[in-house]
């Protein structure tokens, strides 16, 4: 149990575009603008941190945004999508069935007819430019407060963030991803493909712990709920139930189980997502 634990507070980098989504979007937006696109279009659920961040960042960058949202138009008045609309994002609601086509070429072609001149960012913002967005993350001044970090832990959804961390990491640092989806073995392949698309040579020293999902995406067990409350009480740090809460719950368990050798210096990444808490807690 004798390990040192730090938290990289990406939730504090920006009041609206908090956490990992800022890193994932920065080069996508600058690239879309530089190439003269009129708008950026992307996909997400009704509480999507990604669409929320994109709406704000698009407004800041002076480029229109379109959000293709999984679910009923009633969601338009939830806190996440209210913010997004206020920041100028145009929303289109689609059925779950249609949403499943979000990466199909034919469907993307249809969307481009409806929204001409759109730069399409995949769900969660994960692409080669997202990976590149993390390139300077280890240069943040706060790293000076962490003596010899040797393990970095982050929640994983689509794996873009983990790929970015893997691409940027010093060789001495190991990276552990905790997927929040059930049955996330596919992420080994997806992350390798993202690294490849960003022209990163194969990197050693990363892995996934597939047992932290608590039943599946956005599933919140009573134990997870209690852990988030307990963690906030003792650390005064808020976690969201979909990503950072699951990561810390699992990491806490792994530490209790003695999975890490004494003396290890572990840095958990707070990837933000607190705006999404409004839909859950
Ligand atoms: C989107 C998100 C993640 C997952 O990021 P991926 O790059 O999709 O793996 C993790 N944490 C938070 C808070 C997020 O919003």
């Amino acid at each position: 149990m004798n390990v040192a634990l730090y938290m990289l507070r990406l939730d504090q980098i920006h009041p609206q575009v908090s956490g990992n989504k800022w890193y994932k979007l920065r080069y996508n937006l600058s690239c879309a603008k530089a190439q003269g696109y009129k708008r950026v279009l992307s996909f997400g659920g009704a509480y999507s941190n990604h669409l929320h961040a994109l709406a704000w960042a698009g407004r800041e960058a002076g480029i229109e945004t379109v959000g293709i949202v999984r679910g009923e138009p009633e969601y338009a008045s939830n806190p996440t999508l209210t913010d997004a609309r206020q920041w100028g994002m145009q929303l289109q609601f689609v059925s779950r069935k249609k949403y499943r086509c979000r990466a199909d070429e034919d469907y993307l072609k249809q969307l481009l007819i409806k929204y001409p001149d759109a730069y399409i960012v995949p769900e969660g913002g994960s692409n080669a430019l997202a990976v590149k967005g993390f390139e300077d993350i280890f240069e943040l001044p706060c790293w000076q407060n962490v003596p010899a970090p040797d393990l970095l832990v982050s929640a994983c959804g689509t794996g873009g963030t983990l790929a970015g961390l893997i691409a940027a990491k010093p060789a001495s640092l190991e990276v552990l991803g905790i997927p929040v989806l059930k049955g996330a073995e596919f992420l080994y392949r997806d992350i390798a493909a993202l690294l490849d698309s960003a022209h990163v040579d194969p990197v050693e020293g990363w892995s996934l712990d597939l047992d932290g999902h608590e039943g599946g995406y956005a599933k919140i067990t009573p134990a997870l709920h209690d852990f988030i409350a307990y963690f906030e009480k003792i650390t005064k740090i808020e976690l969201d139930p979909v990503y950072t809460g699951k990561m810390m719950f699992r990491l806490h368990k792994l530490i209790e189980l003695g999975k890490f050798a004494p003396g290890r210096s572990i840095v958990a990444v707070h990837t933000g997502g607190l705006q999404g808490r409004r839909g859950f807690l």
Side-chain angles (χ1 to χ4, degrees):
M1 273 245 256
N2 204 358
V3 299
L5 181 59
Y6 300 86
M7 188 167 247
L8 179 63
R9 298 291 304 275
L10 300 186
D11 58 315
Q12 294 184 329
I13 58 168
H14 190 284
Q16 258 77 37
V17 192
S18 107
N20 60 341
K21 299 302 188 287
W22 181 82
Y23 287 90
K24 296 175 81 172
L25 285 170
R26 60 199 281 218
Y27 287 127
N28 276 295
L29 283 167
S30 59
C31 194
K33 266 207 95 165
Q35 294 177 22
Y37 284 92
K38 191 165 184 300
R39 46 176 74 91
V40 179
L41 178 148
S42 196
F43 307 86
Y47 295 95
S48 168
N49 295 324
H50 166 60
L51 290 184
H52 191 261
L54 177 61
W56 177 274
R59 192 180 77 157
E60 289 285 282
I63 191 161
E64 288 175 28
T65 54
V66 179
I68 308 296
V69 184
R70 181 186 52 222
E72 311 303 322
E74 286 92 272
Y75 285 124
S77 57
N78 80 17
T80 301
L81 297 179
T82 298
D83 285 349
R85 281 187 296 124
Q86 275 172 1
W87 298 332
M89 180 175 264
Q90 186 180 346
L91 301 178
Q92 185 189 331
F93 293 87
V94 297
S95 67
R96 288 175 176 268
K97 185 157 171 248
K98 184 111 239 179
Y99 191 83
R100 263 181 239 128
C101 304
R102 63 194 174 273
D104 296 355
E105 218 166 293
D106 283 346
Y107 180 51
L108 297 181
K109 273 197 195 131
Q110 280 176 32
L111 284 172
L112 283 173
I113 294 169
K114 184 154 183 200
Y115 305 101
D117 212 8
Y119 176 96
I120 297 183
V121 174
E123 179 185 52
S126 290
N127 57 16
L129 287 175
V131 173
K132 182 176 156 57
F134 291 86
E135 64 191 0
D136 49 6
I137 197 159
F138 292 101
E139 288 157 33
L140 289 171
C142 61
W143 282 103
Q144 285 159 17
N145 304 328
V146 189
D150 59 23
L151 176 66
L152 188 69
V153 183
S154 176
C156 288
T158 60
T161 299
L162 208 75
L165 295 170
I166 292 165
K169 81 183 184 72
S172 59
L173 190 67
E174 190 185 325
V175 170
L176 174 66
I178 301 190
V180 301
L181 292 89
K182 194 158 139 184
E185 293 85 359
F186 68 89
L187 280 175
Y188 277 108
R189 198 184 57 229
D190 285 7
I191 289 168
L194 277 163
L195 288 169
D196 188 52
S197 73
H199 305 294
V200 178
D201 290 334
V203 180
E204 299 279 299
W206 66 276
S207 59
L208 301 173
D209 178 311
L210 299 173
D211 297 323
H213 56 75
E214 291 296 296
Y217 184 74
K219 294 268 180 355
I220 306 169
T221 55
L224 172 62
H225 187 279
D226 291 352
F227 174 80
I228 290 172
Y230 157 80
F231 186 84
E232 186 173 335
K233 192 164 158 222
I234 57 169
T235 65
K236 307 281 179 269
I237 298 173
E238 291 184 345
L239 301 173
D240 81 291
V242 179
Y243 294 103
T244 54
K246 273 186 192 174
M247 169 195 67
M248 285 313 298
F249 189 33
R250 183 65 187 159
L251 179 57
H252 184 254
K253 205 167 280 172
L254 292 173
I255 292 171
E256 270 189 344
L257 290 169
K259 295 285 182 191
F260 304 112
R264 290 205 74 174
S265 181
I266 304 173
V267 179
V269 184
H270 194 314
T271 41
L274 295 174
Q275 74 79 26
R277 249 166 75 113
R278 298 177 294 182
F280 291 96
L281 296 179

